[in-house]
């Protein structure tokens, strides 16, 4: 057989392997809808990859894809499985027994991962095992009816009568070599394409897609928020910089950034939720949702920031949060004097290390149940989460929180600190340009610019901008609502000449700390540097 025909056979083998993989994951994902998200092999594999990812890979993924990182992970996991299936199929052309064994082992991997998840039950294995059986059957069928020439050492699952008829599937070429009959080739690709399409359609209708786009309205509707005992101060119109194109002062839930470690946010029944405060305490406390809602809840405007936010990035948002002060909950538990950290635990196993003083001082650290006048949505921590001003979210903003473990930094570590990030992570002074947009084209003449700055726990004192290599110009600040919220700014430059220009911004907080121009990575505690953009005047 010549090289061309060998390559064609390998390609057809790869197609058979990929079609079998689609059937395996597709059927399993579809059946998983009758079970739980833990039963979906594609979702479970993707979730298992998250804690294994090295820090060096996490930052560029978040920087490149932002809140779409989870969708990218699911697609990458599926693509990886498809490539592996194709390689196994190509191997099966010459080593079918080995290829079949590899397919079985590969199909059992998600079953093992599912079995190891603490929330999974034994029945959650059923979809994957059924999918694996269907994938193996597809694999065998495609190779039996695919018109492959069967080497003597690789005829394990081809029946003798079929092997004897293999000449019916082959035609002699001019050089005496054999090649598949065109009708058999068409039949093979039609069958493989049909089965693969069925598998892909099953994934589209399966548990993974449902979980990534789930509607948790029924669970959220169970939670009726009481009127706050202490309402947030009204937001004056002067809190806006009044520059068209700048972000609203309050970020809507749908626009609020989302960075966490779950592919699909859990939907937790508020009637089954509880918070346990334990560890180095005199009195262990357990709080149910009904008990939490009966407490005098407070509203506060608080800006949250992700440590992975690049200079000038969008992983920051400001909202009005409703909750109960964490310091009062800790007071009930009476922490030991030598405790210096609270390790918060999430429903999904995530942990965050918060300095205990940040939860006991006068800042408005909340066990939050509401956001902008509505119950939290699952993407943002429903039914309860932590909101702590002045610290980056990875040490302070635990979603789906279920435990507060009072402990010490020298005894316990958290999810992200184990991966190289800072253990305490105070927010640094930062600013960004929102108008004009990078590479924007604006009309010559007077140019209005605007943006946002933040320095939680100290507040913004001044923001300065510089056009090209000119002097720093002090901007006009919008009214400050709170030191724990961002502050908008605006400035104007008169008679800007046509051509390419740069704009740079820096902020200074009320403690006199000037935003550093030094560029650095987000590890261990936030990216730094001045935000600058290029734009063109025409």
């Amino acid at each position: 057989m010549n090289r061309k025909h060998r390559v064609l056979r390998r390609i057809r083998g790869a197609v058979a392997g990929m079609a079998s993989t689609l059937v395996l994951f597709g059927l399993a994902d579809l059946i998983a809808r009758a079970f739980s998200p833990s039963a979906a092999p594609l979702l479970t594999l993707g979730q298992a990859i998250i804690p294994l990812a090295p820090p060096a890979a996490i930052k560029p993924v978040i920087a490149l894809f932002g809140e779409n990182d989870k969708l990218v992970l699911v697609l990458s996991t599926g693509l990886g499985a498809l490539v592996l299936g194709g390689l196994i199929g190509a191997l099966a052309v010459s080593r079918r027994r080995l290829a079949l064994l590899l397919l079985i082992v590969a199909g059992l991997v998600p079953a093992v991962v599912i079995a190891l998840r603490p929330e999974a039950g034994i029945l959650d294995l059923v979809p994957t095992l059924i999918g694996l059986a269907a994938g193996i059957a597809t694999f065998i069928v495609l190779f039996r009816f695919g018109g492959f020439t069967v080497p003597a050492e690789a005829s394990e699952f081809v029946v003798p009568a079929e092997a004897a008829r293999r000449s019916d599937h082959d035609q002699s070429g001019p050089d005496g070599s054999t090649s598949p009959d065109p009708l058999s080739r068409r039949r093979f690709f039609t069958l493989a394409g049909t089965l693969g399409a069925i598998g892909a359609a099953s994934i589209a209708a399966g548990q993974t897609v449902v979980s990534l786009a789930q509607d948790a309205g029924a669970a959220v509707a169970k939670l009726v928020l009481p009127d706050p005992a202490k309402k947030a101060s009204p937001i004056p119109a002067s809190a806006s910089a009044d520059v068209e194109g700048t972000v609203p002062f309050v970020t809507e839930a749908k626009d609020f950034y989302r960075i966490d470690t779950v592919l699909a946010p859990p939907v937790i029944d508020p009637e089954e939720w509880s918070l346990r405060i334990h560890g180095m305490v005199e009195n262990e406390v357990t709080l149910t949702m009904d008990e939490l809602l009966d407490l005098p809840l407070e509203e506060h405007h608080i800006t949250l920031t992700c440590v992975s936010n690049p200079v000038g990035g969008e992983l920051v948002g400001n909202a009005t949060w409703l909750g109960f002060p964490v310091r009062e909950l800790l007071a009930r538990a009476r922490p030991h004097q030598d405790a210096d950290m609270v390790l918060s635990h999430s429903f999904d196993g995530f942990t965050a290390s918060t300095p205990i003083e940040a939860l006991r001082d006068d800042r408005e650290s909340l066990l939050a149940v509401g956001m902008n006048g509505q119950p939290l949505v699952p993407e943002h921590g429903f039914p309860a989460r932590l909101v702590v001003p002045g610290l980056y979210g990875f040490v302070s903003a635990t979603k789906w929180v279920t435990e507060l473990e009072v402990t010490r930094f020298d005894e316990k570590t958290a999810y992200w600190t184990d991966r190289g990030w800072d253990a305490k992570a105070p927010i640094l002074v930062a600013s960004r340009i929102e108008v004009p947009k990078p590479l924007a084209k604006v009309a010559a003449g007077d140019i209005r610019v605007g943006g946002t700055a933040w320095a939680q726990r100290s507040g913004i004192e001044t923001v300065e901008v510089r056009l090209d290599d000119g002097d720093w110009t002090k901007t006009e600040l919008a009214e400050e609502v709170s030191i724990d919220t961002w502050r908008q700014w605006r400035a104007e430059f008169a008679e800007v000449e046509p051509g390419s220009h740069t704009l740079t911004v820096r902020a200074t907080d009320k403690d006199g700390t000037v935003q550093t121009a030094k560029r650095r990575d987000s590890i261990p505690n936030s990216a730094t540097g001045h935000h600058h953009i290029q734009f063109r005047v025409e």
Side-chain angles (χ1 to χ4, degrees):
M1 180 178 295
N2 62 31
R3 184 174 181 276
K4 177 182 176 182
H5 291 148
R6 286 197 298 269
V7 170
L8 290 175
R9 290 172 63 244
R10 293 287 183 189
I11 291 174
R12 287 192 297 143
V15 169
M18 289 189 288
S20 302
T21 301
L22 285 170
V23 169
L24 190 163
F25 281 97
L27 183 59
D29 217 60
L30 189 61
I31 296 174
R33 288 194 61 171
F35 292 78
S36 70
S38 296
L42 190 59
L43 198 66
T44 305
L45 279 176
Q47 188 64 57
I49 290 171
I50 292 176
L52 300 178
I58 295 171
K59 182 185 179 298
V61 169
I62 293 177
L64 184 61
F65 298 107
E67 298 176 61
N68 294 317
D69 59 338
K70 295 167 181 60
L71 176 60
V72 171
L73 177 59
V74 170
L75 293 176
S76 299
T77 302
L79 181 60
L82 204 60
V83 170
L84 179 60
L87 292 174
I88 291 174
L91 175 66
V93 174
S94 57
R95 302 290 300 277
R96 294 191 197 174
R97 179 173 293 173
L98 175 60
L100 186 59
L101 177 62
L102 290 175
L103 181 65
I104 294 172
V105 171
L108 287 174
V109 168
V112 172
V113 173
I114 289 170
L116 292 176
R117 288 185 66 81
E119 71 271 25
I122 189 66
L123 291 179
D124 286 331
L125 294 173
V126 171
T128 298
L129 296 179
I130 293 177
L132 178 58
I136 292 171
T138 301
F139 194 71
I140 293 174
V141 166
L142 288 174
F143 271 88
R144 283 187 172 179
F145 295 97
F148 290 92
T149 302
V150 186
E153 73 278 11
S155 58
E156 288 84 3
F157 53 77
V158 179
V159 295
E162 200 171 71
R165 293 195 303 270
R166 67 189 180 196
S167 59
D168 293 338
H169 294 284
D170 298 330
Q171 289 182 335
S172 296
D175 57 357
S177 63
T178 60
S179 62
D181 176 57
L183 181 61
S184 298
R185 187 182 301 121
R186 286 194 297 270
R187 182 175 59 183
F188 167 79
F189 281 112
T190 299
L191 180 60
T194 301
L195 292 172
I198 292 173
S202 298
I203 292 175
Q207 180 64 57
T208 297
V209 173
V210 168
S211 296
L212 291 175
Q214 61 188 331
D215 179 7
V220 174
K222 284 187 175 183
L223 191 63
V224 179
L225 298 180
D227 292 331
K230 180 179 180 181
K231 290 186 68 67
S233 58
I235 299 172
S238 55
S240 170
D242 194 26
V243 177
E244 185 178 355
T246 55
V247 300
F249 182 80
V250 173
T251 310
E252 294 185 28
K254 65 181 180 62
D255 298 322
F256 209 95
Y257 77 92
R258 179 197 163 198
I259 298 293
D260 50 53
T261 60
V262 297
L263 288 178
V267 178
I268 303 169
D269 188 336
E271 295 176 358
E272 298 179 2
W273 175 90
S274 65
L275 178 75
R276 178 183 171 222
I277 305 175
H278 63 102
M280 298 174 63
V281 297
E282 296 294 335
N283 179 44
E284 186 169 312
V285 173
T286 299
L287 187 73
T288 67
M289 182 56 67
D290 285 341
E291 291 170 334
L292 174 57
L293 297 181
D294 282 340
L295 295 173
L297 303 185
E298 300 181 2
E299 264 189 342
H300 296 283
H301 309 301
I302 299 171
T303 295
L304 297 184
T305 310
C306 180
V307 73
S308 297
N309 195 36
V311 174
E314 298 179 350
L315 301 181
V316 56
N318 183 60
T320 303
W321 305 92
L322 174 69
F324 189 70
V326 180
R327 61 176 172 272
E328 296 190 27
L329 294 175
L330 289 177
R332 293 185 180 187
R334 302 197 301 275
H336 295 174
Q337 287 188 349
D338 56 343
D340 63 3
M341 186 256 275
V342 173
L343 190 70
S344 52
H345 296 254
S346 171
F347 178 85
D348 72 313
F350 172 83
T351 55
S353 57
T354 309
I356 196 168
E357 64 267 21
L359 298 173
R360 301 181 76 180
D361 62 17
D362 62 354
R363 77 185 74 192
E364 309 302 346
S365 299
L366 298 175
L367 174 63
V369 293
M371 180 181 186
N372 297 336
Q374 299 294 326
L376 297 168
V377 294
E379 291 81 2
H380 296 305
F382 176 83
R385 64 172 292 166
L386 290 182
V387 175
V388 182
L391 302 176
Y392 287 109
F394 78 101
V395 299
S396 68
T398 303
K399 302 174 185 176
W400 318 294
V401 63
T402 57
E403 294 180 41
L404 298 181
E405 180 184 0
V406 179
T407 181
R408 292 183 52 83
F409 280 104
D410 58 7
E411 292 183 3
K412 294 291 181 72
T413 56
Y415 183 93
W416 286 116
T417 52
D418 287 339
R419 288 159 176 78
W421 271 266
D422 193 5
K424 298 183 178 180
I427 288 178
L428 306 180
V429 58
S431 57
R432 71 183 182 193
I433 301 161
E434 297 166 8
V435 178
K437 302 295 184 186
L439 305 179
K441 295 179 181 179
V442 299
D446 295 349
I447 293 179
R448 200 177 209 197
V449 301
T452 307
W454 54 92
Q456 288 95 321
R457 302 311 303 146
S458 59
I460 292 294
E461 180 67 25
T462 60
V463 175
E464 300 167 286
V465 290
R466 182 170 63 191
L467 183 65
D468 300 326
D469 295 322
D471 295 332
W472 287 104
T473 300
K474 200 175 271 192
T475 68
E476 182 181 353
L477 292 176
E479 183 176 343
E480 181 181 75
V481 174
S482 161
I483 61 171
D484 289 327
T485 63
W486 57 19
R487 196 169 184 183
Q488 297 191 340
W489 57 267
R490 63 175 175 260
E492 289 188 6
F493 292 92
E495 298 300 325
V496 180
E497 296 293 331
S500 181
H501 297 274
T502 62
L503 194 66
T504 308
V505 64
R506 71 180 183 187
T508 303
D509 68 16
K510 293 182 179 180
D511 294 330
T513 303
V514 181
Q515 182 180 351
T516 179
K518 183 179 179 181
R519 289 273 175 172
R520 79 169 188 194
D521 239 359
S522 67
I523 301 176
N525 187 40
S526 177
T528 63
H530 292 165
H531 186 215
H532 66 272
I533 65 162
Q534 288 185 324
F535 66 100
R536 187 165 186 82
V537 174
E538 296 182 340

